[in-house]
Amino acid sequence: MKIEKSWTYAAATDRVFEMIGTQDFQATKASATSTGDYAAEVTPADDGCTVLVRRTLPTDNFPDALRNAVGKTLTVVETQKWGPADGAGVRTADLDVRVEGAPVGLKGTVRLSPDGTGSTVSMRGDLKARIPLFGGKIEQAAAPFFKDAIAAEERAGRDWLASH
């Protein structure tokens, strides 16, 4: 199942990337979407960085049958591998989100690009549940969780930029 979302920030790409590459922002983002159990790590690398966020999420909004199968919480591990900016100031990250103990994950890209005096962040991914016969139903049940997490990241970014 394809998941796509774009949003803008009223800040230059350098400032937005600086935010993405800080432990403080990643912890804020993880806190906004977790049960309070999270860890965030940022490792600088070749004019880019690798972001690793691990968080425990409630399954309260999952259908009963799915919640019974996975439990009251899920541990989600998100990795973003950001490369250097190109000549136009665009940065791209490989995105990998996996659910521990479940054959469900999202692979895709995140793109940070200049947009007038601000920036646009575009996330595109493919959500897959590798379970014969039930994969599509699980993808449909999990998609709102992934979309909510993306919306929470957008809000956390706006708040972080406004306060820093």
Side-chain angles (χ1 to χ4, degrees), residues 13 34 58-59 65 67 88 90 106 131 137 152:
T13 54
S34 75
T59 59
R67 188 172 54 248
V90 176
L106 182 137
I131 300 172
K137 289 184 188 268

Side-chain angles (χ1 to χ4, degrees), residues 58-139:
T59 59
D60 298 343
N61 295 329
F62 280 30
D64 288 342
L66 184 55
R67 188 172 54 248
N68 291 339
V70 299
K72 293 182 180 184
T73 61
L74 293 172
T75 299
V76 177
V77 179
E78 172 189 1
T79 305
Q80 295 180 15
K81 292 185 179 180
W82 287 91
D86 68 13
V90 176
R91 288 185 183 263
T92 305
D94 292 326
L95 175 65
D96 180 40
V97 182
R98 63 183 172 80
V99 178
E100 287 189 342
V104 179
L106 182 137
K107 288 193 180 281
T109 58
V110 183
R111 185 173 191 262
L112 171 62
S113 57
D115 186 357
T117 59
S119 303
T120 295
V121 177
S122 300
M123 194 289 301
R124 289 181 173 78
D126 195 15
L127 174 63
K128 290 283 185 192
R130 294 166 301 284
I131 300 172
L133 302 175
F134 300 106
K137 289 184 188 268
I138 291 172
E139 289 169 10

